[in-house]
mmCIF file of all heavy atoms in Angstrom:
data_model
loop_
_atom_site.group_PDB
_atom_site.id
_atom_site.type_symbol
_atom_site.label_atom_id
_atom_site.label_comp_id
_atom_site.label_asym_id
_atom_site.label_seq_id
_atom_site.Cartn_x
_atom_site.Cartn_y
_atom_site.Cartn_z
ATOM 1 N N ASN B 65 101.431 84.621 87.839
ATOM 2 C CA ASN B 65 100.558 83.903 86.904
ATOM 3 C C ASN B 65 100.719 84.367 85.467
ATOM 4 O O ASN B 65 100.387 83.636 84.540
ATOM 5 C CB ASN B 65 99.085 84.084 87.308
ATOM 6 C CG ASN B 65 98.772 83.320 88.573
ATOM 7 O OD1 ASN B 65 99.505 82.448 88.972
ATOM 8 N ND2 ASN B 65 97.670 83.670 89.219
ATOM 9 N N HIS B 66 101.221 85.596 85.297
ATOM 10 C CA HIS B 66 101.216 86.117 83.930
ATOM 11 C C HIS B 66 102.585 86.552 83.415
ATOM 12 O O HIS B 66 102.716 86.835 82.224
ATOM 13 C CB HIS B 66 100.263 87.316 83.844
ATOM 14 C CG HIS B 66 98.850 86.941 84.138
ATOM 15 N ND1 HIS B 66 98.064 86.244 83.249
ATOM 16 C CD2 HIS B 66 98.086 87.128 85.237
ATOM 17 C CE1 HIS B 66 96.874 86.035 83.791
ATOM 18 N NE2 HIS B 66 96.850 86.559 84.986
ATOM 19 N N VAL B 67 103.584 86.633 84.234
ATOM 20 C CA VAL B 67 104.843 87.207 83.770
ATOM 21 C C VAL B 67 105.565 86.276 82.799
ATOM 22 O O VAL B 67 106.396 86.724 82.018
ATOM 23 C CB VAL B 67 105.738 87.570 84.978
ATOM 24 C CG1 VAL B 67 106.338 86.311 85.617
ATOM 25 C CG2 VAL B 67 106.845 88.514 84.567
ATOM 26 N N PHE B 68 105.247 84.968 82.904
ATOM 27 C CA PHE B 68 105.934 84.024 82.021
ATOM 28 C C PHE B 68 105.226 83.830 80.681
ATOM 29 O O PHE B 68 105.511 82.914 79.951
ATOM 30 C CB PHE B 68 106.059 82.667 82.742
ATOM 31 C CG PHE B 68 106.865 82.761 84.012
ATOM 32 C CD1 PHE B 68 106.266 82.538 85.237
ATOM 33 C CD2 PHE B 68 108.196 83.131 83.975
ATOM 34 C CE1 PHE B 68 106.998 82.651 86.397
ATOM 35 C CE2 PHE B 68 108.928 83.241 85.139
ATOM 36 C CZ PHE B 68 108.319 82.995 86.351
ATOM 37 N N LEU B 69 104.259 84.673 80.440
ATOM 38 C CA LEU B 69 103.590 84.566 79.135
ATOM 39 C C LEU B 69 104.581 84.799 78.004
ATOM 40 O O LEU B 69 105.401 85.691 78.062
ATOM 41 C CB LEU B 69 102.484 85.602 79.025
ATOM 42 C CG LEU B 69 101.241 85.370 79.872
ATOM 43 C CD1 LEU B 69 100.284 86.531 79.686
ATOM 44 C CD2 LEU B 69 100.586 84.075 79.492
ATOM 45 N N VAL B 70 104.489 83.966 76.989
ATOM 46 C CA VAL B 70 105.373 84.131 75.828
ATOM 47 C C VAL B 70 104.763 85.157 74.866
ATOM 48 O O VAL B 70 103.570 85.449 74.894
ATOM 49 C CB VAL B 70 105.578 82.785 75.113
ATOM 50 C CG1 VAL B 70 106.245 81.792 76.022
ATOM 51 C CG2 VAL B 70 104.258 82.253 74.620
ATOM 52 N N ASN B 71 105.601 85.710 74.064
ATOM 53 C CA ASN B 71 105.097 86.674 73.068
ATOM 54 C C ASN B 71 104.264 85.932 72.025
ATOM 55 O O ASN B 71 104.595 84.853 71.560
ATOM 56 C CB ASN B 71 106.276 87.361 72.394
ATOM 57 C CG ASN B 71 107.026 88.246 73.363
ATOM 58 O OD1 ASN B 71 106.422 88.889 74.202
ATOM 59 N ND2 ASN B 71 108.323 88.255 73.270
ATOM 60 N N LEU B 72 103.146 86.614 71.735
ATOM 61 C CA LEU B 72 102.228 85.991 70.765
ATOM 62 C C LEU B 72 102.649 86.325 69.360
ATOM 63 O O LEU B 72 103.036 87.426 69.077
ATOM 64 C CB LEU B 72 100.824 86.516 71.020
ATOM 65 C CG LEU B 72 100.201 86.093 72.352
ATOM 66 C CD1 LEU B 72 98.838 86.734 72.501
ATOM 67 C CD2 LEU B 72 100.099 84.598 72.436
ATOM 68 N N LYS B 73 102.565 85.342 68.477
ATOM 69 C CA LYS B 73 102.768 85.567 67.047
ATOM 70 C C LYS B 73 101.474 85.165 66.365
ATOM 71 O O LYS B 73 100.804 84.215 66.819
ATOM 72 C CB LYS B 73 103.945 84.752 66.542
ATOM 73 C CG LYS B 73 105.295 85.191 67.112
ATOM 74 C CD LYS B 73 106.417 84.346 66.544
ATOM 75 C CE LYS B 73 107.734 84.782 67.133
ATOM 76 N NZ LYS B 73 108.857 83.999 66.606
ATOM 77 N N GLU B 74 101.161 85.870 65.249
ATOM 78 C CA GLU B 74 99.858 85.697 64.613
ATOM 79 C C GLU B 74 99.636 84.243 64.180
ATOM 80 O O GLU B 74 98.545 83.690 64.356
ATOM 81 C CB GLU B 74 99.751 86.679 63.443
ATOM 82 C CG GLU B 74 98.371 86.728 62.812
ATOM 83 C CD GLU B 74 97.289 87.082 63.840
ATOM 84 O OE1 GLU B 74 97.563 87.965 64.723
ATOM 85 O OE2 GLU B 74 96.226 86.476 63.799
ATOM 86 N N GLU B 75 100.753 83.656 63.499
ATOM 87 C CA GLU B 75 100.601 82.305 62.968
ATOM 88 C C GLU B 75 100.469 81.255 64.042
ATOM 89 O O GLU B 75 99.951 80.151 63.799
ATOM 90 C CB GLU B 75 101.773 81.955 62.038
ATOM 91 C CG GLU B 75 103.139 82.069 62.655
ATOM 92 C CD GLU B 75 103.762 83.442 62.448
ATOM 93 O OE1 GLU B 75 103.008 84.457 62.391
ATOM 94 O OE2 GLU B 75 104.986 83.514 62.378
ATOM 95 N N ASN B 76 100.906 81.568 65.286
ATOM 96 C CA ASN B 76 100.799 80.606 66.375
ATOM 97 C C ASN B 76 99.842 81.095 67.443
ATOM 98 O O ASN B 76 99.933 80.671 68.593
ATOM 99 C CB ASN B 76 102.177 80.390 67.010
ATOM 100 C CG ASN B 76 103.143 79.721 66.071
ATOM 101 O OD1 ASN B 76 102.775 78.808 65.348
ATOM 102 N ND2 ASN B 76 104.373 80.203 66.081
ATOM 103 N N ARG B 77 98.874 81.939 67.081
ATOM 104 C CA ARG B 77 98.036 82.607 68.057
ATOM 105 C C ARG B 77 97.267 81.610 68.915
ATOM 106 O O ARG B 77 97.261 81.702 70.148
ATOM 107 C CB ARG B 77 97.076 83.573 67.362
ATOM 108 C CG ARG B 77 96.275 84.441 68.327
ATOM 109 C CD ARG B 77 95.365 85.383 67.565
ATOM 110 N NE ARG B 77 94.455 84.649 66.697
ATOM 111 C CZ ARG B 77 93.305 84.138 67.106
ATOM 112 N NH1 ARG B 77 92.933 84.265 68.356
ATOM 113 N NH2 ARG B 77 92.529 83.482 66.258
ATOM 114 N N GLN B 78 96.659 80.658 68.264
ATOM 115 C CA GLN B 78 95.853 79.702 69.038
ATOM 116 C C GLN B 78 96.719 78.866 69.977
ATOM 117 O O GLN B 78 96.375 78.653 71.154
ATOM 118 C CB GLN B 78 95.071 78.799 68.099
ATOM 119 C CG GLN B 78 93.855 79.486 67.492
ATOM 120 C CD GLN B 78 93.065 78.559 66.622
ATOM 121 O OE1 GLN B 78 93.435 77.398 66.411
ATOM 122 N NE2 GLN B 78 91.970 79.052 66.083
ATOM 123 N N LEU B 79 97.857 78.425 69.401
ATOM 124 C CA LEU B 79 98.749 77.591 70.213
ATOM 125 C C LEU B 79 99.309 78.397 71.382
ATOM 126 O O LEU B 79 99.422 77.899 72.513
ATOM 127 C CB LEU B 79 99.885 77.076 69.332
ATOM 128 C CG LEU B 79 100.795 76.010 69.936
ATOM 129 C CD1 LEU B 79 100.011 74.807 70.388
ATOM 130 C CD2 LEU B 79 101.849 75.589 68.951
ATOM 131 N N GLN B 80 99.668 79.646 71.071
ATOM 132 C CA GLN B 80 100.207 80.519 72.123
ATOM 133 C C GLN B 80 99.173 80.769 73.208
ATOM 134 O O GLN B 80 99.489 80.793 74.405
ATOM 135 C CB GLN B 80 100.621 81.871 71.509
ATOM 136 C CG GLN B 80 101.717 81.781 70.472
ATOM 137 C CD GLN B 80 103.101 81.798 71.073
ATOM 138 O OE1 GLN B 80 103.253 81.946 72.277
ATOM 139 N NE2 GLN B 80 104.120 81.660 70.244
ATOM 140 N N GLU B 81 97.928 80.940 72.818
ATOM 141 C CA GLU B 81 96.867 81.175 73.808
ATOM 142 C C GLU B 81 96.695 79.950 74.692
ATOM 143 O O GLU B 81 96.495 80.057 75.901
ATOM 144 C CB GLU B 81 95.556 81.490 73.084
ATOM 145 C CG GLU B 81 95.412 82.975 72.758
ATOM 146 C CD GLU B 81 94.097 83.286 72.053
ATOM 147 O OE1 GLU B 81 93.242 82.378 71.983
ATOM 148 O OE2 GLU B 81 93.962 84.411 71.575
ATOM 149 N N GLU B 82 96.761 78.767 74.052
ATOM 150 C CA GLU B 82 96.632 77.533 74.798
ATOM 151 C C GLU B 82 97.791 77.376 75.788
ATOM 152 O O GLU B 82 97.588 76.999 76.946
ATOM 153 C CB GLU B 82 96.593 76.353 73.826
ATOM 154 C CG GLU B 82 96.385 74.995 74.485
ATOM 155 C CD GLU B 82 95.016 74.863 75.142
ATOM 156 O OE1 GLU B 82 94.146 75.736 74.933
ATOM 157 O OE2 GLU B 82 94.832 73.914 75.909
ATOM 158 N N VAL B 83 99.003 77.693 75.314
ATOM 159 C CA VAL B 83 100.189 77.631 76.197
ATOM 160 C C VAL B 83 100.006 78.573 77.376
ATOM 161 O O VAL B 83 100.295 78.245 78.521
ATOM 162 C CB VAL B 83 101.468 77.984 75.403
ATOM 163 C CG1 VAL B 83 102.631 78.222 76.370
ATOM 164 C CG2 VAL B 83 101.812 76.856 74.432
ATOM 165 N N ARG B 84 99.507 79.750 77.094
ATOM 166 C CA ARG B 84 99.294 80.735 78.164
ATOM 167 C C ARG B 84 98.281 80.226 79.176
ATOM 168 O O ARG B 84 98.467 80.346 80.385
ATOM 169 C CB ARG B 84 98.824 82.050 77.542
ATOM 170 C CG ARG B 84 98.826 83.218 78.535
ATOM 171 C CD ARG B 84 98.590 84.540 77.831
ATOM 172 N NE ARG B 84 97.335 84.548 77.101
ATOM 173 C CZ ARG B 84 97.181 85.143 75.922
ATOM 174 N NH1 ARG B 84 98.182 85.756 75.342
ATOM 175 N NH2 ARG B 84 96.022 85.111 75.315
#
Side-chain angles (χ1 to χ4, degrees):
Chain B
N65 289 343
H66 297 286
V67 74
F68 299 114
L69 289 177
V70 298
N71 293 322
L72 293 177
K73 293 181 181 180
E74 188 57 39
E75 57 268 32
N76 294 319
R77 187 179 58 85
Q78 283 183 357
L79 189 57
Q80 298 274 356
E81 273 181 9
E82 183 66 10
V83 168
R84 191 170 58 217

